[in-house]
Amino acid sequence: MADIIQLLPDHVANQIAAGEVVQRPASVVKELLENAIDAGSDSIKLIIKDAGKTLVQVIDNGKGMSTTDARLSFERHATSKIRNAEDLFQLHTKGFRGEALASIAAIAHVELKTKQPHDDVGNTIVMEGSKVTNQDVVVTPQGTSVSVKNLFFNIPARRNFLKSDNVELRHIIDEFHRVALAHPGIGFVFYNNGNEAFNLPISNYRQRIVNIFGTKTNEKLVPVEEETEVLKISGFVGKPEFAKKTRGEQYFFVNDRFIKSAYLNHAIASAYDGLLKNGTHASYFLNLTVDPQTIDINIHPTKTEIKFDDEHTLYAILRSAVKHSLGQFNIAPVLDFERDANLDTPYELKKESARASTPTIEVDRSFNPFQDEAPVKQRAVSYKKEPTESWESLYVGLESKGTKTQQDFSEVHFETEEATVSMFDKDIEKTHTTYQLHNKYIVSTIKSGMLVIDQHRAHQRILYEDYLQHLTIKGALSQQLLFPLDLHFSNQEIAVIIQLKEDLEHTGFVFSNVKEESIEIIGVPVGVPESEVSIILEQLISDVENEVPDSNFSATDLLAKSMAKSLAIKTGQSLQKDEQEHLVNKLFACKEPNVSPTNRTTFVTMSVDELDKKFI
Ligand code: ADP
Ligand code: MG
């Protein structure tokens, strides 16, 4: 048989490798910014056009490259940053693979201009699909400028795969934030489509955070400082009352490199134990400095993960440091403050970290399938208003979601009279009965058998159709607020709100003022509790930014979905009898009762036949 193995031509091999490094315009941004930092710059400009699809350019004032280096920089595995394998364990630079420029040049049009400080003129090189099309001397300031145009011009499939400009720009801004947060000692300017989006002068860390996320951020920050033999922690955590519904502002840097770590994130979350409202996430901006020998970052060019030699110790120290800070600033109850004196004895701490992650299981002990009345637990701690028949009654639960203590308290059974009513005393004539199962499902009888409804999804469907109708047909009613609501957002977030302002107004929102970093609201849709407004808007912004790619984007639809998601009664919420029935009736009055707005099943049925089969 003839030989069949062939070496791939260079340009094909380069394109394949490039796919690993460059997945989207944001990857180019990351690589170019990191090169500029490695070059020792203290002033870096980022220029973006059309979410990076047309242009990504980074201009720095770093050390530049010689004529030979400029040419070599585009070769695969050409790097000035490591010389041998041992250097990998002493990394002080961001790059080390020598792959980025080669990869980018394989799939875009690249123009490099660079000059070293002591030279009079610099060099320019133009590359197209891994080929040099021009090389010349050029007059250029000290430092390096790399422009990347027409990304994926030779891989149409990749280009078509890119998401909308909104989404790609979001990714670019995320990368920019990460790099800028890790390097407050470097000035950054970011131009987006000709407008200055960020101008971050050299500053301290706190100012850098504030310059990125808005002046209001300042009062939300609590400093964290800790130094032990194994690591140094510095940075800020957010006060619990400013916790967000989305995980946006959570940043870990290890030796100035942004990383993601679910494990360390858990350490922080556990330090906030009992301080956060359900479903909210604290912000943090933390820098860990560890000996480069104790970490392994040589995993994957685009991954932001890292391996630590001793994760357990890190976990414990981090948790303790954050707790300490929250305690010092009188945010955490002081009694709760356990600063371990044995911080440097990891063995002890390992036990502590194990304890921190013990899962808790919630059981609805008061559930009684034979009991027609609302469960005892609601009566024991009666904080509800008289149940009303109105549609709005479904929201009542929202306000009285019940704090943790209320719920715990109610687990201590108070035997009320209702609780001991025998099942035979019930009104057995009643045919349409509902029960709530595990504060999650509504079980009801139907002619053919039984019906189980997911309360959260069902309510989402109901609200969604309701909002859609308001948005498209009739103007919604607005309820005026006694005091205007002043909400703070970053300027990109404000931009999203402005984009949706008109639609929001159709649902009943009334804006009295929209400024650079804040909005003032004087009216909200009827039935929307004031306390939920910021959560709804946050959710909405995050939905717009992460817009599902295949859905044909419609602001109205997204808004209706997003509001329905935020306002629907949650799993875990107990409902009064009349609320349960109302939910069932409303669901079946919907146009598409069987699926939630995100296409998930809202209810299942089981016929008597099916049940019979189970009893054979
Ligand atoms: P790496 O950063 O992993 O070394 P790159 O492909 O990103 O690989 O860059 C290759 C080389 O080009 C770098 O090692 C560096 O010597 C040089 N280089 C790249 N960008 C710059 C820059 N902005 N300023 C100075 N030198 C640069
Ligand atoms: Mg690099």
Side-chain angles (χ1 to χ4, degrees):
M1 267 248 291
D3 301 331
I4 50 169
I5 297 181
Q6 287 189 2
L7 279 177
L8 287 172
D10 264 1
H11 72 275
V12 179
N14 278 344
Q15 277 190 14
I16 294 171
E20 292 249 299
V21 181
V22 184
Q23 286 157 344
R24 52 178 8 134
S27 331
V28 175
V29 170
K30 171 171 185 272
E31 295 296 338
L32 297 185
L33 288 176
E34 290 189 347
N35 280 347
I37 290 163
D38 284 345
S41 322
D42 66 7
S43 165
I44 298 177
K45 279 199 190 77
L46 169 65
I47 300 167
I48 298 293
K49 289 219 173 92
D50 303 324
K53 293 171 185 169
T54 314
L55 173 74
V56 174
Q57 182 176 14
V58 170
I59 306 170
D60 68 49
N61 66 349
K63 64 182 180 214
M65 285 178 257
S66 70
T67 313
T68 319
D69 281 356
R71 179 63 195 86
L72 261 181
S73 68
F74 288 104
E75 294 298 320
R76 190 159 296 282
H77 305 306
T79 179
S80 55
K81 298 170 193 174
I82 59 169
R83 307 218 167 258
N84 49 44
E86 281 85 73
D87 288 351
L88 273 177
F89 299 99
Q90 288 298 343
L91 275 180
H92 293 285
T93 54
K94 313 245 156 207
F96 55 86
R97 296 161 188 279
E99 272 183 323
L101 286 184
S103 298
I104 296 168
I107 48 167
H109 297 158
V110 180
E111 185 179 344
L112 169 81
K113 284 185 189 161
T114 186
K115 187 179 91 69
Q116 297 186 299
H118 47 79
D119 289 342
D120 294 331
V121 284
N123 289 281
T124 177
I125 294 181
V126 182
M127 305 275 297
E128 273 181 31
S130 298
K131 290 200 187 64
V132 181
T133 58
N134 184 28
Q135 180 164 13
D136 213 341
V137 285
V138 71
V139 177
T140 182
Q142 179 202 324
T144 304
S145 153
V146 182
S147 4
V148 176
K149 293 177 191 159
N150 308 323
L151 189 63
F152 298 130
F153 78 98
N154 50 358
I155 323 182
R158 288 299 283 246
R159 201 173 163 85
N160 294 338
F161 220 65
L162 292 176
K163 308 255 165 80
S164 69
D165 282 9
N166 249 343
V167 174
E168 295 301 340
L169 185 63
R170 178 74 250 166
H171 284 284
I172 290 174
I173 292 172
D174 282 348
E175 283 304 343
F176 177 77
H177 282 169
R178 292 167 184 177
V179 173
L181 280 170
H183 299 277
I186 299 176
F188 290 90
V189 188
F190 177 171
Y191 294 98
N192 179 33
N193 291 332
N195 302 317
E196 187 182 280
F198 291 93
N199 188 341
L200 311 173
I202 294 174
S203 62
N204 65 26
Y205 194 42
R206 186 188 268 269
Q207 282 164 336
R208 174 58 50 96
I209 296 172
V210 168
N211 286 337
I212 294 178
F213 296 105
T215 32
K216 268 281 162 180
T217 319
N218 198 20
E219 68 195 57
K220 303 180 189 173
L221 301 176
V222 179
V224 179
E225 296 290 338
E226 178 66 81
E227 192 158 1
T228 73
E229 274 167 31
V230 278
L231 91 157
K232 183 170 169 269
I233 304 172
S234 72
F236 298 90
V237 292
K239 291 183 186 161
E241 65 265 36
F242 296 108
K244 294 198 145 201
K245 194 84 177 166
T246 50
R247 286 180 180 272
E249 293 168 10
Q250 300 191 325
Y251 297 89
F252 262 126
F253 300 92
V254 175
N255 297 354
D256 297 338
R257 190 185 288 272
F258 173 82
I259 60 138
K260 279 185 192 148
S261 162
Y263 186 67
L264 295 185
N265 179 57
H266 188 274
I268 298 186
S270 79
Y272 277 87
D273 225 5
L275 296 174
L276 296 179
K277 263 212 286 185
N278 257 353
T280 62
H281 308 279
S283 308
Y284 54 80
F285 311 87
L286 292 172
N287 303 295
L288 314 192
T289 316
V290 298
D291 180 349
Q293 304 243 22
T294 65
I295 52 174
D296 183 1
I297 41 172
N298 189 12
I299 305 176
H300 189 274
T302 56
K303 289 247 169 77
T304 42
E305 280 146 25
I306 199 166
K307 276 200 291 210
F308 297 99
D309 283 356
D310 189 355
E311 274 200 327
H312 290 298
T313 313
L314 231 64
Y315 183 106
I317 298 175
L318 191 61
R319 174 169 178 266
S320 159
V322 172
K323 252 191 158 178
H324 180 202
S325 293
L326 292 173
Q328 273 209 327
F329 286 80
N330 278 332
I331 291 155
V334 184
L335 280 179
D336 204 311
F337 162 46
E338 13 166 317
R339 181 160 172 78
D340 205 309
N342 304 321
L343 257 188
D344 296 317
T345 51
Y347 186 67
E348 273 301 304
L349 290 162
K350 269 182 197 165
K351 279 195 285 179
E352 177 173 323
S353 63
R355 223 189 314 138
S357 55
T358 316
T360 54
I361 301 165
E362 246 183 58
V363 186
D364 181 3
R365 288 175 216 282
S366 60
F367 172 65
N368 174 359
F370 302 108
Q371 190 187 323
D372 197 27
E373 294 300 319
V376 182
K377 113 183 209 185
Q378 285 176 2
R379 290 172 192 273
V381 185
S382 172
Y383 49 86
K384 287 204 172 175
K385 303 178 206 117
E386 276 297 294
T388 48
E389 289 298 332
S390 78
W391 168 223
E392 272 72 31
S393 68
L394 274 174
Y395 294 112
V396 173
L398 266 181
E399 295 147 28
S400 55
K401 228 176 282 171
T403 61
K404 213 165 176 230
T405 41
Q406 265 172 326
Q407 267 162 19
D408 292 345
F409 187 47
S410 62
E411 308 271 312
V412 184
H413 281 249
F414 294 101
E415 290 276 309
T416 61
E417 285 200 14
E418 285 91 337
T420 47
V421 171
S422 131
M423 61 182 281
F424 301 107
D425 293 344
K426 278 192 323 174
D427 176 10
I428 41 169
E429 295 298 321
K430 214 169 179 182
T431 47
H432 197 286
T433 333
T434 59
Y435 306 109
Q436 197 184 16
L437 189 62
H438 282 245
N439 286 345
K440 182 173 185 189
Y441 297 110
I442 313 281
V443 183
S444 179
T445 52
I446 46 174
K447 250 198 214 128
S448 61
M450 75 185 226
L451 175 74
V452 183
I453 297 174
D454 180 313
Q455 64 185 47
H456 178 58
R457 292 186 190 171
H459 197 205
Q460 274 192 49
R461 160 57 60 185
I462 297 166
L463 292 180
Y464 169 68
E465 292 198 2
D466 206 46
Y467 288 132
L468 261 193
Q469 208 182 12
H470 281 145
L471 280 162
T472 47
I473 307 168
K474 46 179 182 186
L477 288 179
S478 178
Q479 100 203 13
Q480 234 191 323
L481 299 175
L482 210 48
F483 301 103
L485 199 59
D486 205 11
L487 298 175
H488 293 267
F489 291 99
S490 70
N491 41 24
Q492 307 103 267
E493 290 172 330
I494 296 279
V496 175
I497 293 181
I498 292 175
Q499 202 184 322
L500 294 171
K501 190 161 165 269
E502 210 175 308
D503 286 319
L504 284 165
E505 282 164 352
H506 283 141
T507 63
F509 280 99
V510 183
F511 298 90
S512 51
N513 206 345
V514 178
K515 285 179 284 192
E516 216 168 78
E517 287 185 352
S518 68
I519 52 173
E520 201 180 69
I521 295 176
I522 50 169
V524 297
V526 170
V528 171
E530 199 177 322
S531 57
E532 297 284 314
V533 173
S534 73
I535 294 176
I536 295 171
L537 292 180
E538 238 181 73
Q539 178 76 56
L540 180 67
I541 291 166
S542 117
D543 284 351
V544 171
E545 287 173 344
N546 302 308
E547 151 214 343
V548 205
D550 51 287
S551 74
N552 26 6
F553 176 79
S554 128
T556 344
D557 191 65
L558 196 66
L559 179 60
K561 273 191 188 136
S562 191
M563 287 192 31
K565 188 154 77 185
S566 309
L567 287 169
I569 45 168
K570 306 278 181 301
T571 298
Q573 192 175 328
S574 79
L575 298 176
Q576 302 275 14
K577 201 93 216 149
D578 57 339
E579 293 171 333
Q580 298 172 17
E581 272 166 23
H582 197 83
L583 187 81
V584 178
N585 293 336
K586 270 282 183 182
L587 177 66
F588 291 100
C590 283
K591 285 200 195 103
E592 274 185 74
N594 22 351
V595 286
S596 76
T598 45
N599 261 331
R600 321 261 289 272
T601 307
T602 46
F603 67 87
V604 292
T605 54
M606 192 180 272
S607 66
V608 176
D609 283 352
E610 283 169 88
L611 277 173
D612 286 347
K613 278 190 201 129
K614 290 197 186 290
F615 286 98
I616 288 172

